[in-house]
Amino acid sequence: RTKLDHQLKELHVSRNTKYAPKARKQELKETLTKQVNMRHHLADRTGRLKNRCQKLKVAVEVAGIYQEKPAENHSLSDMILMALTSQTLGFAFKGMSGQRDTPFSFEDDDPNKEKEAEMLLEYIDKFHELFDAGDYQEAAIHAANSPKGILRTPETMAKFKNVGTEALLAYCEALMSSVSALSHLPSAEVCLECVRCALSQHRLDLVTHWIAQNSLQLTEEIANALCEYAEQNPLSGPVCLALAQ
């Protein structure tokens, strides 16, 4: 009898620890399937986020190089697109002295770069928020002081130009006012557009101030614009011709 009692006790223990009802087995199987699917979903999401971080790192690095030495005939967005396509700095900045033709180190998960990239995206989102709300003055100041010059581009200027001359002039003034603080001149194309915008509003005083503050890249095109303005406005001729020289 003692032996039977012992076997009965073992059966009770086995039933509770080693075996489960058929319904419970199905329930566990469904739970396992859900967990496997969730794991696949999280792995896919992690891959997408990692890819996004990699692209952000590229954008930040290209923006930094572009700020130091803008590429001729290419906008910042063009350079970022080429870098993302080729995955090399050298291809995107071919012909620019001092640049290397080496792949981006996508595996270098530098948290500082990721944080910087996120900050850039937030800064750009804030600009669009101000612009879409019609607060062009604040949007202009925000863009002109953008980190790494990410919004100091012909594309941004075109957005203000599409709104109207008043909005464009606000951007031009903000851009020129930021030069001394950032120690970086806008591109020759942007400088010319700023001069033309100011002259179209008969704000020769602005152009004079910008030149005095060394805020412009002085080019032959700017000199021609001043000469044309002098012809149309004889009273301002002497000042224009002096600036054009």
Side-chain angles (χ1 to χ4, degrees):
R1 179 175 174 80
T2 304
K3 184 177 181 181
L4 290 174
D5 290 339
H6 181 69
Q7 290 178 341
L8 181 61
K9 185 177 179 180
E10 286 185 345
L11 287 173
H12 280 296
V13 172
S14 296
R15 184 184 66 179
N16 294 329
T17 60
K18 296 182 180 180
Y19 306 102
K22 188 175 182 180
R24 177 60 177 162
K25 182 179 179 181
Q26 183 62 32
E27 182 182 338
L28 291 173
K29 184 177 180 181
E30 291 176 357
T31 301
L32 178 60
T33 300
K34 288 180 181 179
Q35 290 179 344
V36 170
N37 290 338
M38 178 60 71
R39 182 180 179 182
H40 290 162
H41 171 73
L42 291 175
D44 182 60
R45 184 169 180 269
T46 300
R48 292 199 304 269
L49 289 174
K50 187 175 182 180
N51 184 54
R52 181 169 181 264
C53 286
Q54 290 169 349
K55 289 181 179 180
L56 289 173
K57 291 176 189 177
V58 174
V60 169
E61 193 163 353
V62 172
I65 295 174
Y66 191 91
Q67 183 182 23
E68 295 175 3
K69 187 173 182 180
E72 296 181 3
N73 304 320
H74 289 293
S75 66
L76 176 57
S77 59
D78 290 337
M79 305 310 299
I80 291 175
L81 181 60
M82 283 191 286
L84 288 174
T85 302
S86 66
Q87 296 188 1
T88 62
L89 282 174
F91 179 84
F93 290 88
K94 189 176 182 180
M96 294 176 63
S97 60
Q99 301 304 335
R100 63 193 186 282
D101 188 10
T102 56
F104 288 105
S105 54
F106 283 161
E107 297 304 318
D108 180 19
D109 295 326
D110 186 347
N112 292 326
K113 270 194 174 183
E114 292 178 13
K115 184 177 180 180
E116 184 180 11
E118 291 294 341
M119 289 176 63
L120 280 178
L121 287 181
E122 290 176 6
Y123 200 95
I124 293 172
D125 288 341
K126 179 62 177 178
F127 165 71
H128 287 299
E129 179 183 325
L130 291 169
F131 193 91
D132 293 341
D135 194 350
Y136 301 120
Q137 186 70 40
E138 288 300 319
I141 295 173
H142 190 77
N145 292 280
S146 59
K148 295 187 178 295
I150 195 73
L151 294 171
R152 295 165 60 86
T153 64
E155 291 81 7
T156 303
M157 174 169 275
K159 285 178 68 69
F160 285 97
K161 189 174 183 179
N162 289 337
V163 173
T165 305
E166 186 176 344
L168 177 59
L169 186 59
Y171 177 67
C172 293
E173 288 192 74
L175 201 60
M176 293 297 114
S177 297
S178 68
V179 169
S180 58
L182 298 177
S183 301
H184 182 72
L185 293 175
S187 67
E189 177 186 354
V190 169
C191 288
L192 177 59
E193 192 65 44
C194 287
V195 170
R196 285 175 172 170
C197 178
L199 293 179
S200 71
Q201 298 300 298
H202 302 289
R203 294 298 306 273
L204 181 59
D205 60 305
L206 284 178
V207 179
T208 303
H209 178 69
W210 296 340
I211 292 177
Q213 295 296 315
N214 296 318
S215 299
L216 293 170
Q217 287 196 44
L218 298 178
T219 61
E220 184 177 347
E221 288 77 11
I222 288 180
N224 292 338
L226 286 166
C227 290
E228 290 175 8
Y229 185 80
E231 292 177 1
Q232 298 168 6
N233 302 271
L235 293 178
S236 301
V239 176
C240 288
L241 295 177
L243 293 174
Q245 294 177 358

